[in-house]
Amino acid sequence: MDFFPAFLVSFFRLVLNTFFRSIKVRGIHKIPTNGPVIFAVAPHANQFVDPLMLSVTCGRSVGFLAAKKSMDKFWIGMLGRAMKSISVERAQDVIFSGKGTIYMPDESNPSLIHGINTQFIKQIKPRSSICLPKDMGTAEVAQVISDTEILLCKPMITPGAVACLRVVDESGNMPGTVYKISPHVDQSRMFSEVTRRLSHNGAVGIFPEGGSHDRPELLPLKAGVAIMALDAVAKHPNLPLKIVPCGLSYFHADKFRSRAVIEYGDPIEIPSELLEQYKNGGTDKRKAISLLLDTIEVSLKSLTLQSPDFDTLMVVQAVRRLYTPVGKKLDLDQTLAMSRNFAEGYIRMRDNPEVKALTQQVLQYDRLLKYYGVLDHQVKNTNISSMRALCLFCYRAVEMLVFFILSLPVLILFSPLLFLSRMVSKKMAAGMNLCSVV
């Protein structure tokens, strides 16, 4: 590990240990100490914290794949290059709105798309993609016939896409729908750089979901991680490449002094038959990529807490807290293991009438806690006399007043900075939400 990247890792370790009360690392012995490694990390909750979390715990010098859009920013790009990140231009970062509207004139020939006031010749190249609004459909362009006609590689024939492209107005005409154009992005240089690093026994980190999110389950994995691994071994047959799945779990990640768990899974090796299938090209190649991607996904799911929706996650966490015996404090390993077990059991049994009834009781209890502003572990302390409650209230009111007076100078001094940082963060968050396609 070079001096400057090592210095940055040490600095960021200090930052993370300051923000997080506890960072639990599991399975670190499974990481190869040398040789080529691809770290597949999920879920991707934070664009900056997640790669730092892996960099400070894995013991390897890791070059992460980072969005070119982020790398083009001065400070982020400078730190990214210092950490040997690999810039990746993503299709969603260069997508733009197309001129005019498009429609499908003939349902029997869905590959042919017509435009109204469009500029297909100027705006679209073969292998670009047409994206319908509200994720109704996406299709690659095979041929640009004219400014108002294009031919798709595969037609968009889902009911939503057809309904969107064949809207008829009151006069019987097709006004068409707005659309976006996603230019084809040539990733050959990025793949070459990944292969070069792996061939020199380097370590590469990738978030195969393709973007950060706050959903309670993994997003569908992108094929890039499987293509990188298979392509590297295909070009270097004796390359002892390992894919190490890595699961990240945060507990109240938005709060200062929260807790985190990072767990490394068993390294995945590429079977020789899968490699031969990849080398055959065509359908066999796609099957090989899909099989390896499925293997990675299964490994990642075993390392993370999976929940089909946010409500299920809330139920699981509430049940886990209620199940924990009074006075028993679970460590992070036990908390995560119990949450996973409850999630798996709940998903299998949630249609059971008894489980449904229990779920409603748990949710009602959770709502009561929020209404009264207390936590689970505080419930046992609420059964006190009126006199003691009054004394406690007076004591804490005086205590709060004293601390408020003592903190007032600092509050006045730093309030402009706090206000400014809040405004900037809101503005940046709004911009990122508009650009997000996750």
Side-chain angles (χ1 to χ4, degrees), residues 26-291:
R26 302 173 63 183
I28 194 170
H29 61 281
K30 299 176 181 179
I31 302 174
T33 55
N34 50 56
V37 174
I38 294 178
F39 289 98
V41 190
H44 190 16
N46 188 286
Q47 180 183 5
F48 304 110
V49 175
D50 293 351
L52 296 180
M53 190 71 73
L54 185 131
S55 295
V56 303
T57 59
C58 72
R60 297 284 302 263
S61 178
V62 184
F64 278 91
L65 270 66
K68 183 178 182 297
K69 186 177 181 180
S70 297
M71 292 288 285
D72 287 342
K73 297 178 181 178
F74 179 76
W75 291 108
I76 298 174
M78 184 178 67
L79 289 174
R81 286 185 289 273
M83 297 292 287
K84 301 181 179 179
S85 296
I86 302 172
S87 180
V88 181
E89 187 168 40
R90 303 179 302 178
Q92 61 260 41
D93 293 335
V94 293
I95 195 170
F96 62 94
S97 298
K99 288 187 177 295
T101 58
I102 59 173
Y103 67 97
M104 184 191 298
D106 185 1
E107 197 169 356
S108 63
N109 185 16
S111 295
L112 182 64
I113 300 296
H114 283 198
I116 301 173
N117 299 323
T118 50
Q119 297 179 0
F120 289 155
I121 294 177
K122 180 181 179 181
Q123 291 191 316
I124 300 177
K125 305 293 181 187
R127 300 191 69 184
S128 296
S129 295
I130 295 293
C131 308
L132 299 181
K134 298 181 180 179
D135 293 328
M136 288 292 185
T138 301
E140 186 177 316
V141 176
Q143 181 185 358
V144 179
I145 301 172
S146 68
D147 261 338
T148 57
E149 288 182 303
I150 54 173
L151 195 64
L152 304 179
C153 292
K154 290 184 179 179
M156 293 182 279
I157 55 176
T158 61
V162 173
C164 187
L165 289 167
R166 290 188 58 79
V167 174
V168 179
D169 60 19
E170 295 178 354
S171 59
N173 297 320
M174 290 186 180
T177 179
V178 294
Y179 63 102
K180 290 188 176 182
I181 301 169
S182 177
H184 171 68
V185 178
D186 184 8
Q187 302 285 16
S188 57
R189 292 181 63 183
M190 181 271 293
F191 281 110
S192 297
E193 176 61 19
V194 170
T195 301
R196 186 191 69 80
R197 293 198 186 187
L198 293 175
S199 66
H200 287 79
N201 295 323
V204 174
I206 181 173
F207 298 95
E209 294 171 290
S212 57
H213 64 96
D214 58 358
R215 298 183 186 180
E217 80 282 1
L218 292 182
L219 297 179
L221 303 189
K222 307 292 185 183
V225 61
I227 296 173
M228 289 173 193
L230 288 165
D231 192 60
V233 179
K235 291 178 179 177
H236 302 274
N238 297 321
L239 193 69
L241 177 63
K242 304 286 193 303
I243 303 171
V244 177
C246 174
L248 288 171
S249 300
Y250 297 105
F251 296 83
H252 307 291
D254 58 326
K255 295 182 180 178
F256 183 64
R257 303 300 289 169
S258 56
R259 301 186 296 172
V261 177
I262 179 167
E263 184 172 359
Y264 297 98
D266 294 321
I268 300 170
E269 297 185 19
I270 299 176
S272 56
E273 58 271 17
L274 205 63
L275 182 60
E276 292 303 319
Q277 197 174 1
Y278 177 81
K279 290 179 179 179
N280 291 337
T283 305
D284 284 348
K285 181 178 180 178
R286 288 191 291 272
K287 286 182 179 178
I289 293 170
S290 179
L291 287 171

